[in-house]
């Protein structure tokens, strides 16, 4: 959950814009980055202000931990870690999954557009 790539940076010219847009919509990317940051740098300072771009290097382990804490404290999300063994099919539609532990999760399959072929 929330694994960073081998280059644990958030920000820069392209990704920095996306992070700001996510945060403007109520997301937490910037907050988690601030909590796990180990270095901050403003890129392109030799160019004009329109090209300046913040970038933060994060501690990969702390980043993952902070995201997990944030997500687990969200009352609208439940987590279940298991392996899906098979699809549950009714009326030629996928209506859920069955897991290795024998738990079945069903969807609102009557309103689904997913079809099993």
């Amino acid at each position: 959950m929330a694994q960073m790539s081998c280059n644990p940076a958030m920000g820069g010219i392209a990704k920095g814009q996306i992070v700001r847009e996510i945060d403007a919509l109520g997301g937490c990317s910037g907050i988690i980055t601030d909590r796990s940051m180990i270095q901050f740098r403003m890129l392109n300072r030799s160019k004009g202000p329109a090209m300046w771009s913040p970038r933060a290097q994060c501690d990969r382990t702390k980043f993952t931990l902070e995201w997990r804490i944030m997500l687990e404290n969200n009352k609208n999300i439940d987590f279940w870690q298991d392996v899906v063994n098979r699809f549950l099919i009714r009326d030629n539609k996928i209506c859920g999954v069955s897991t290795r532990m024998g738990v079945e999760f069903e969807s609102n399959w009557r309103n689904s557009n997913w079809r099993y072929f």
Side-chain angles (χ1 to χ4, degrees), residues 36-61:
S36 60
M37 179 174 53
I38 55 178
Q39 180 199 41
F40 176 83
R41 182 171 176 209
M42 187 64 75
L43 302 177
N44 298 325
R45 289 294 300 257
S46 63
K47 299 177 182 177
M51 293 302 297
W52 295 356
S53 182
R55 183 184 68 200
Q57 293 289 124
C58 297
D59 179 311
R60 293 177 69 218
T61 304

PDB file of all heavy atoms in Angstrom, residues 36-61:
ATOM      1  N   SER A  36       6.512  13.022   5.574  1.00  0.00           N
ATOM      2  CA  SER A  36       7.572  12.031   5.343  1.00  0.00           C
ATOM      3  C   SER A  36       8.802  12.621   4.645  1.00  0.00           C
ATOM      4  O   SER A  36       9.734  11.895   4.314  1.00  0.00           O
ATOM      5  CB  SER A  36       7.026  10.867   4.518  1.00  0.00           C
ATOM      6  OG  SER A  36       6.544  11.314   3.270  1.00  0.00           O
ATOM      7  N   MET A  37       8.834  13.918   4.480  1.00  0.00           N
ATOM      8  CA  MET A  37       9.899  14.578   3.725  1.00  0.00           C
ATOM      9  C   MET A  37      11.221  14.579   4.491  1.00  0.00           C
ATOM     10  O   MET A  37      11.256  14.793   5.691  1.00  0.00           O
ATOM     11  CB  MET A  37       9.458  16.011   3.440  1.00  0.00           C
ATOM     12  CG  MET A  37      10.444  16.849   2.694  1.00  0.00           C
ATOM     13  SD  MET A  37       9.773  18.468   2.238  1.00  0.00           S
ATOM     14  CE  MET A  37       9.181  19.096   3.780  1.00  0.00           C
ATOM     15  N   ILE A  38      12.320  14.321   3.756  1.00  0.00           N
ATOM     16  CA  ILE A  38      13.644  14.417   4.354  1.00  0.00           C
ATOM     17  C   ILE A  38      14.471  15.535   3.707  1.00  0.00           C
ATOM     18  O   ILE A  38      15.473  15.960   4.268  1.00  0.00           O
ATOM     19  CB  ILE A  38      14.414  13.077   4.261  1.00  0.00           C
ATOM     20  CG1 ILE A  38      14.499  12.579   2.831  1.00  0.00           C
ATOM     21  CG2 ILE A  38      13.763  12.043   5.159  1.00  0.00           C
ATOM     22  CD1 ILE A  38      15.279  11.289   2.649  1.00  0.00           C
ATOM     23  N   GLN A  39      14.058  16.000   2.540  1.00  0.00           N
ATOM     24  CA  GLN A  39      14.758  17.095   1.866  1.00  0.00           C
ATOM     25  C   GLN A  39      13.768  17.830   0.969  1.00  0.00           C
ATOM     26  O   GLN A  39      12.890  17.216   0.359  1.00  0.00           O
ATOM     27  CB  GLN A  39      15.913  16.565   1.012  1.00  0.00           C
ATOM     28  CG  GLN A  39      16.671  17.667   0.300  1.00  0.00           C
ATOM     29  CD  GLN A  39      17.477  17.155  -0.872  1.00  0.00           C
ATOM     30  OE1 GLN A  39      17.020  16.308  -1.617  1.00  0.00           O
ATOM     31  NE2 GLN A  39      18.677  17.691  -1.033  1.00  0.00           N
ATOM     32  N   PHE A  40      13.934  19.152   0.881  1.00  0.00           N
ATOM     33  CA  PHE A  40      13.102  19.963   0.009  1.00  0.00           C
ATOM     34  C   PHE A  40      14.011  20.812  -0.868  1.00  0.00           C
ATOM     35  O   PHE A  40      15.030  21.318  -0.411  1.00  0.00           O
ATOM     36  CB  PHE A  40      12.183  20.881   0.830  1.00  0.00           C
ATOM     37  CG  PHE A  40      11.377  21.811  -0.025  1.00  0.00           C
ATOM     38  CD1 PHE A  40      10.202  21.385  -0.612  1.00  0.00           C
ATOM     39  CD2 PHE A  40      11.802  23.108  -0.256  1.00  0.00           C
ATOM     40  CE1 PHE A  40       9.459  22.238  -1.409  1.00  0.00           C
ATOM     41  CE2 PHE A  40      11.072  23.967  -1.051  1.00  0.00           C
ATOM     42  CZ  PHE A  40       9.897  23.528  -1.621  1.00  0.00           C
ATOM     43  N   ARG A  41      13.621  20.964  -2.129  1.00  0.00           N
ATOM     44  CA  ARG A  41      14.411  21.781  -3.046  1.00  0.00           C
ATOM     45  C   ARG A  41      13.486  22.465  -4.037  1.00  0.00           C
ATOM     46  O   ARG A  41      12.498  21.874  -4.497  1.00  0.00           O
ATOM     47  CB  ARG A  41      15.391  20.884  -3.799  1.00  0.00           C
ATOM     48  CG  ARG A  41      16.271  21.658  -4.742  1.00  0.00           C
ATOM     49  CD  ARG A  41      17.348  20.780  -5.301  1.00  0.00           C
ATOM     50  NE  ARG A  41      18.092  21.561  -6.280  1.00  0.00           N
ATOM     51  CZ  ARG A  41      18.699  21.049  -7.305  1.00  0.00           C
ATOM     52  NH1 ARG A  41      18.694  19.751  -7.498  1.00  0.00           N
ATOM     53  NH2 ARG A  41      19.333  21.811  -8.149  1.00  0.00           N
ATOM     54  N   MET A  42      13.796  23.699  -4.368  1.00  0.00           N
ATOM     55  CA  MET A  42      13.073  24.423  -5.408  1.00  0.00           C
ATOM     56  C   MET A  42      13.865  24.268  -6.700  1.00  0.00           C
ATOM     57  O   MET A  42      15.018  24.705  -6.782  1.00  0.00           O
ATOM     58  CB  MET A  42      12.926  25.902  -5.041  1.00  0.00           C
ATOM     59  CG  MET A  42      12.053  26.680  -5.991  1.00  0.00           C
ATOM     60  SD  MET A  42      10.330  26.158  -6.022  1.00  0.00           S
ATOM     61  CE  MET A  42       9.746  26.834  -4.491  1.00  0.00           C
ATOM     62  N   LEU A  43      13.271  23.643  -7.693  1.00  0.00           N
ATOM     63  CA  LEU A  43      13.936  23.386  -8.967  1.00  0.00           C
ATOM     64  C   LEU A  43      13.844  24.606  -9.878  1.00  0.00           C
ATOM     65  O   LEU A  43      12.924  25.415  -9.768  1.00  0.00           O
ATOM     66  CB  LEU A  43      13.293  22.188  -9.662  1.00  0.00           C
ATOM     67  CG  LEU A  43      13.283  20.876  -8.894  1.00  0.00           C
ATOM     68  CD1 LEU A  43      12.540  19.818  -9.690  1.00  0.00           C
ATOM     69  CD2 LEU A  43      14.681  20.422  -8.560  1.00  0.00           C
ATOM     70  N   ASN A  44      14.775  24.702 -10.798  1.00  0.00           N
ATOM     71  CA  ASN A  44      14.790  25.720 -11.867  1.00  0.00           C
ATOM     72  C   ASN A  44      14.843  27.144 -11.343  1.00  0.00           C
ATOM     73  O   ASN A  44      14.262  28.057 -11.937  1.00  0.00           O
ATOM     74  CB  ASN A  44      13.571  25.552 -12.788  1.00  0.00           C
ATOM     75  CG  ASN A  44      13.569  24.223 -13.478  1.00  0.00           C
ATOM     76  OD1 ASN A  44      14.618  23.696 -13.829  1.00  0.00           O
ATOM     77  ND2 ASN A  44      12.389  23.659 -13.655  1.00  0.00           N
ATOM     78  N   ARG A  45      15.550  27.384 -10.262  1.00  0.00           N
ATOM     79  CA  ARG A  45      15.654  28.736  -9.714  1.00  0.00           C
ATOM     80  C   ARG A  45      16.439  29.668 -10.631  1.00  0.00           C
ATOM     81  O   ARG A  45      16.317  30.878 -10.530  1.00  0.00           O
ATOM     82  CB  ARG A  45      16.316  28.708  -8.328  1.00  0.00           C
ATOM     83  CG  ARG A  45      15.462  28.117  -7.234  1.00  0.00           C
ATOM     84  CD  ARG A  45      14.236  28.944  -6.914  1.00  0.00           C
ATOM     85  NE  ARG A  45      14.551  30.281  -6.466  1.00  0.00           N
ATOM     86  CZ  ARG A  45      14.509  30.689  -5.222  1.00  0.00           C
ATOM     87  NH1 ARG A  45      14.159  29.862  -4.272  1.00  0.00           N
ATOM     88  NH2 ARG A  45      14.809  31.936  -4.930  1.00  0.00           N
ATOM     89  N   SER A  46      17.241  29.096 -11.543  1.00  0.00           N
ATOM     90  CA  SER A  46      18.008  29.943 -12.464  1.00  0.00           C
ATOM     91  C   SER A  46      17.123  30.495 -13.584  1.00  0.00           C
ATOM     92  O   SER A  46      17.528  31.391 -14.310  1.00  0.00           O
ATOM     93  CB  SER A  46      19.176  29.155 -13.068  1.00  0.00           C
ATOM     94  OG  SER A  46      18.684  28.084 -13.838  1.00  0.00           O
ATOM     95  N   LYS A  47      15.908  29.959 -13.707  1.00  0.00           N
ATOM     96  CA  LYS A  47      14.964  30.430 -14.725  1.00  0.00           C
ATOM     97  C   LYS A  47      13.962  31.369 -14.072  1.00  0.00           C
ATOM     98  O   LYS A  47      14.032  31.647 -12.880  1.00  0.00           O
ATOM     99  CB  LYS A  47      14.267  29.232 -15.362  1.00  0.00           C
ATOM    100  CG  LYS A  47      15.256  28.289 -16.047  1.00  0.00           C
ATOM    101  CD  LYS A  47      14.573  27.084 -16.613  1.00  0.00           C
ATOM    102  CE  LYS A  47      15.635  26.176 -17.241  1.00  0.00           C
ATOM    103  NZ  LYS A  47      15.076  24.956 -17.753  1.00  0.00           N
ATOM    104  N   GLY A  48      13.008  31.814 -14.821  1.00  0.00           N
ATOM    105  CA  GLY A  48      11.993  32.722 -14.298  1.00  0.00           C
ATOM    106  C   GLY A  48      11.047  32.038 -13.327  1.00  0.00           C
ATOM    107  O   GLY A  48      10.941  30.811 -13.315  1.00  0.00           O
ATOM    108  N   PRO A  49      10.308  32.800 -12.510  1.00  0.00           N
ATOM    109  CA  PRO A  49       9.409  32.235 -11.497  1.00  0.00           C
ATOM    110  C   PRO A  49       8.358  31.272 -12.047  1.00  0.00           C
ATOM    111  O   PRO A  49       7.929  30.362 -11.346  1.00  0.00           O
ATOM    112  CB  PRO A  49       8.739  33.465 -10.893  1.00  0.00           C
ATOM    113  CG  PRO A  49       9.678  34.578 -11.155  1.00  0.00           C
ATOM    114  CD  PRO A  49      10.361  34.248 -12.454  1.00  0.00           C
ATOM    115  N   ALA A  50       7.968  31.437 -13.296  1.00  0.00           N
ATOM    116  CA  ALA A  50       6.978  30.530 -13.876  1.00  0.00           C
ATOM    117  C   ALA A  50       7.519  29.102 -13.999  1.00  0.00           C
ATOM    118  O   ALA A  50       6.742  28.156 -14.079  1.00  0.00           O
ATOM    119  CB  ALA A  50       6.539  31.031 -15.249  1.00  0.00           C
ATOM    120  N   MET A  51       8.833  28.948 -14.010  1.00  0.00           N
ATOM    121  CA  MET A  51       9.442  27.625 -14.148  1.00  0.00           C
ATOM    122  C   MET A  51       9.867  27.020 -12.810  1.00  0.00           C
ATOM    123  O   MET A  51      10.262  25.876 -12.757  1.00  0.00           O
ATOM    124  CB  MET A  51      10.668  27.698 -15.069  1.00  0.00           C
ATOM    125  CG  MET A  51      10.330  28.030 -16.502  1.00  0.00           C
ATOM    126  SD  MET A  51       9.193  26.842 -17.244  1.00  0.00           S
ATOM    127  CE  MET A  51      10.165  25.365 -17.201  1.00  0.00           C
ATOM    128  N   TRP A  52       9.799  27.785 -11.724  1.00  0.00           N
ATOM    129  CA  TRP A  52      10.181  27.254 -10.418  1.00  0.00           C
ATOM    130  C   TRP A  52       9.224  26.125 -10.047  1.00  0.00           C
ATOM    131  O   TRP A  52       8.026  26.180 -10.298  1.00  0.00           O
ATOM    132  CB  TRP A  52      10.129  28.325  -9.356  1.00  0.00           C
ATOM    133  CG  TRP A  52      11.123  29.428  -9.535  1.00  0.00           C
ATOM    134  CD1 TRP A  52      12.093  29.515 -10.488  1.00  0.00           C
ATOM    135  CD2 TRP A  52      11.221  30.611  -8.757  1.00  0.00           C
ATOM    136  NE1 TRP A  52      12.794  30.681 -10.346  1.00  0.00           N
ATOM    137  CE2 TRP A  52      12.287  31.374  -9.283  1.00  0.00           C
ATOM    138  CE3 TRP A  52      10.525  31.104  -7.672  1.00  0.00           C
ATOM    139  CZ2 TRP A  52      12.655  32.591  -8.747  1.00  0.00           C
ATOM    140  CZ3 TRP A  52      10.895  32.317  -7.135  1.00  0.00           C
ATOM    141  CH2 TRP A  52      11.949  33.049  -7.667  1.00  0.00           C
ATOM    142  N   SER A  53       9.769  25.105  -9.426  1.00  0.00           N
ATOM    143  CA  SER A  53       8.942  23.961  -9.081  1.00  0.00           C
ATOM    144  C   SER A  53       9.468  23.288  -7.810  1.00  0.00           C
ATOM    145  O   SER A  53      10.625  22.890  -7.759  1.00  0.00           O
ATOM    146  CB  SER A  53       8.955  22.967 -10.243  1.00  0.00           C
ATOM    147  OG  SER A  53       8.136  21.885  -9.954  1.00  0.00           O
ATOM    148  N   PRO A  54       8.626  23.143  -6.786  1.00  0.00           N
ATOM    149  CA  PRO A  54       9.078  22.480  -5.564  1.00  0.00           C
ATOM    150  C   PRO A  54       9.167  20.967  -5.742  1.00  0.00           C
ATOM    151  O   PRO A  54       8.367  20.361  -6.466  1.00  0.00           O
ATOM    152  CB  PRO A  54       8.000  22.842  -4.545  1.00  0.00           C
ATOM    153  CG  PRO A  54       6.792  23.115  -5.358  1.00  0.00           C
ATOM    154  CD  PRO A  54       7.263  23.652  -6.666  1.00  0.00           C
ATOM    155  N   ARG A  55      10.176  20.383  -5.101  1.00  0.00           N
ATOM    156  CA  ARG A  55      10.305  18.922  -5.107  1.00  0.00           C
ATOM    157  C   ARG A  55      10.758  18.481  -3.724  1.00  0.00           C
ATOM    158  O   ARG A  55      11.662  19.068  -3.138  1.00  0.00           O
ATOM    159  CB  ARG A  55      11.309  18.448  -6.135  1.00  0.00           C
ATOM    160  CG  ARG A  55      11.381  16.905  -6.176  1.00  0.00           C
ATOM    161  CD  ARG A  55      12.427  16.396  -7.098  1.00  0.00           C
ATOM    162  NE  ARG A  55      13.737  16.746  -6.556  1.00  0.00           N
ATOM    163  CZ  ARG A  55      14.846  16.782  -7.280  1.00  0.00           C
ATOM    164  NH1 ARG A  55      14.808  16.511  -8.567  1.00  0.00           N
ATOM    165  NH2 ARG A  55      15.984  17.102  -6.732  1.00  0.00           N
ATOM    166  N   ALA A  56      10.149  17.447  -3.196  1.00  0.00           N
ATOM    167  CA  ALA A  56      10.497  16.900  -1.889  1.00  0.00           C
ATOM    168  C   ALA A  56      10.981  15.465  -2.050  1.00  0.00           C
ATOM    169  O   ALA A  56      10.363  14.686  -2.769  1.00  0.00           O
ATOM    170  CB  ALA A  56       9.288  16.933  -0.969  1.00  0.00           C
ATOM    171  N   GLN A  57      12.079  15.143  -1.402  1.00  0.00           N
ATOM    172  CA  GLN A  57      12.537  13.757  -1.303  1.00  0.00           C
ATOM    173  C   GLN A  57      11.937  13.205  -0.018  1.00  0.00           C
ATOM    174  O   GLN A  57      11.999  13.846   1.027  1.00  0.00           O
ATOM    175  CB  GLN A  57      14.063  13.688  -1.221  1.00  0.00           C
ATOM    176  CG  GLN A  57      14.770  14.134  -2.467  1.00  0.00           C
ATOM    177  CD  GLN A  57      14.625  13.169  -3.616  1.00  0.00           C
ATOM    178  OE1 GLN A  57      14.176  13.565  -4.668  1.00  0.00           O
ATOM    179  NE2 GLN A  57      14.976  11.925  -3.431  1.00  0.00           N
ATOM    180  N   CYS A  58      11.353  12.025  -0.085  1.00  0.00           N
ATOM    181  CA  CYS A  58      10.661  11.439   1.065  1.00  0.00           C
ATOM    182  C   CYS A  58      11.366  10.189   1.556  1.00  0.00           C
ATOM    183  O   CYS A  58      12.027   9.485   0.788  1.00  0.00           O
ATOM    184  CB  CYS A  58       9.225  11.082   0.691  1.00  0.00           C
ATOM    185  SG  CYS A  58       8.235  12.490   0.239  1.00  0.00           S
ATOM    186  N   ASP A  59      11.181   9.905   2.817  1.00  0.00           N
ATOM    187  CA  ASP A  59      11.594   8.631   3.392  1.00  0.00           C
ATOM    188  C   ASP A  59      10.552   7.605   2.933  1.00  0.00           C
ATOM    189  O   ASP A  59       9.375   7.707   3.279  1.00  0.00           O
ATOM    190  CB  ASP A  59      11.611   8.748   4.912  1.00  0.00           C
ATOM    191  CG  ASP A  59      12.010   7.469   5.608  1.00  0.00           C
ATOM    192  OD1 ASP A  59      11.447   6.402   5.276  1.00  0.00           O
ATOM    193  OD2 ASP A  59      12.879   7.539   6.496  1.00  0.00           O
ATOM    194  N   ARG A  60      10.983   6.623   2.149  1.00  0.00           N
ATOM    195  CA  ARG A  60      10.033   5.683   1.539  1.00  0.00           C
ATOM    196  C   ARG A  60       9.228   4.910   2.587  1.00  0.00           C
ATOM    197  O   ARG A  60       8.034   4.691   2.432  1.00  0.00           O
ATOM    198  CB  ARG A  60      10.773   4.709   0.620  1.00  0.00           C
ATOM    199  CG  ARG A  60      11.359   5.410  -0.591  1.00  0.00           C
ATOM    200  CD  ARG A  60      12.160   4.478  -1.464  1.00  0.00           C
ATOM    201  NE  ARG A  60      11.268   3.534  -2.101  1.00  0.00           N
ATOM    202  CZ  ARG A  60      11.560   2.255  -2.313  1.00  0.00           C
ATOM    203  NH1 ARG A  60      12.716   1.776  -1.933  1.00  0.00           N
ATOM    204  NH2 ARG A  60      10.711   1.470  -2.906  1.00  0.00           N
ATOM    205  N   THR A  61       9.889   4.481   3.661  1.00  0.00           N
ATOM    206  CA  THR A  61       9.202   3.721   4.705  1.00  0.00           C
ATOM    207  C   THR A  61       8.193   4.589   5.439  1.00  0.00           C
ATOM    208  O   THR A  61       7.055   4.180   5.678  1.00  0.00           O
ATOM    209  CB  THR A  61      10.227   3.134   5.694  1.00  0.00           C
ATOM    210  OG1 THR A  61      11.176   2.351   4.966  1.00  0.00           O
ATOM    211  CG2 THR A  61       9.555   2.279   6.742  1.00  0.00           C
TER     212      THR A  61
END
